[in-house]
Amino acid sequence: MDNVKLSDMTTSDFEVISPILSSNFDDFWSSENLKSELNNPASHYIVAKINNVIVGFAGIWKSVDDVHITNIVVKKDFRKKGIGSLLLQKLIELTKNLNYKELTLEVNALNEPAKQLYLKFGFKNLGIRKKYYNNTDDAIIMTLYL
Ligand SMILES: CC(C)(COP(=O)(O)OP(=O)(O)OC[C@H]1O[C@@H](n2cnc3c(N)ncnc32)[C@H](O)[C@@H]1OP(=O)(O)O)[C@@H](O)C(=O)NCCC(=O)NCCS
């Protein structure tokens, strides 16, 4: 989609997202978590907008040796249009510019769209954390070497 604009998430973006997190983004995060991430100097959040309306967001957290993708989510009605790819591409770029060599994440083993997205960008499966989510679903650890 060529009319998608990416920018850093601002407090006013957060205020727009917060009340529609669970309904429009089926996010697994509370707005309290997102707010504290936004205020965390080790984190960096971006939003994707079409005509100034937020259609997705994503974030990273900078650790000592690597960068973690904390979240990447596209508004339900806008999926499968390339917006997740644009967000991920930007996170990869940000990580490279910070001179880190690894971008890593955990994904629910049952989350096929997300797994496919990461595989498409060259992430490798590094292992499994058993029953990581709600003590039920396994997490797959995936890393992209930059
Ligand atoms: C995962 C997610 C961000 C993908 O966003 P998106 O905008 O739909 O992704 P894109 O349109 O850029 O698709 C890129 C690739 O992802 C994969 N993909 C996306 N949706 C898919 C689906 N429903 N089934 C299988 N693969 C899928 C495909 O490989 C696709 O490439 P292709 O179009 O060449 O087939 C989106 O599904 C989402 O918001 N999910 C809910 C939140 C979530 O689970 N986030 C991940 C947390 S780790």
Side-chain angles (χ1 to χ4, degrees), residues 95-110:
T95 306
K96 275 187 183 159
N97 290 342
L98 291 165
N99 286 322
Y100 282 88
K101 300 291 170 224
E102 286 182 34
L103 182 57
T104 193
L105 59 93
E106 281 116 15
V107 56
N108 190 314
L110 302 175

Side-chain angles (χ1 to χ4, degrees), residues 25-28 55 57 69-76 78-87 105-108 111-121 133:
F25 293 95
D26 73 322
D27 201 7
F28 30 88
V55 291
F57 66 92
I69 293 180
T70 50
N71 211 342
I72 174 163
V73 55
V74 172
K75 213 172 188 174
K76 282 178 187 170
F78 289 85
R79 290 181 188 166
K80 288 290 287 167
K81 298 177 194 297
I83 297 167
S85 299
L86 286 174
L87 286 164
L105 59 93
E106 281 116 15
V107 56
N108 190 314
N111 189 346
E112 212 49 49
K115 279 194 299 181
Q116 292 306 322
L117 170 68
Y118 299 129
L119 287 172
K120 192 175 170 188
F121 277 80
Y133 298 104

Side-chain angles (χ1 to χ4, degrees), residues 6-127:
L6 300 179
S7 53
D8 287 345
M9 189 186 288
T10 62
T11 307
S12 55
D13 290 332
F14 167 76
E15 278 157 11
V16 172
I17 295 170
S18 175
I20 55 169
L21 257 181
S22 58
S23 58
N24 287 7
F25 293 95
D26 73 322
D27 201 7
F28 30 88
W29 269 19
S30 65
S31 38
E32 287 74 27
N33 273 343
L34 185 56
K35 190 169 192 177
S36 69
E37 275 292 285
L38 203 52
N39 294 323
N40 182 347
S43 298
H44 190 146
Y45 277 74
I46 57 172
V47 290
K49 293 181 186 175
I50 297 177
N51 298 330
N52 246 2
V53 176
I54 298 172
V55 291
F57 66 92
I60 50 174
W61 177 73
K62 294 163 260 178
S63 173
V64 180
D65 297 323
D66 56 8
V67 171
H68 295 250
I69 293 180
T70 50
N71 211 342
I72 174 163
V73 55
V74 172
K75 213 172 188 174
K76 282 178 187 170
D77 293 347
F78 289 85
R79 290 181 188 166
K80 288 290 287 167
K81 298 177 194 297
I83 297 167
S85 299
L86 286 174
L87 286 164
L88 183 55
Q89 186 62 54
K90 183 70 183 175
L91 297 184
I92 294 170
E93 218 176 279
L94 287 169
T95 306
K96 275 187 183 159
N97 290 342
L98 291 165
N99 286 322
Y100 282 88
K101 300 291 170 224
E102 286 182 34
L103 182 57
T104 193
L105 59 93
E106 281 116 15
V107 56
N108 190 314
L110 302 175
N111 189 346
E112 212 49 49
K115 279 194 299 181
Q116 292 306 322
L117 170 68
Y118 299 129
L119 287 172
K120 192 175 170 188
F121 277 80
F123 282 76
K124 305 285 179 227
N125 285 347
L126 286 200

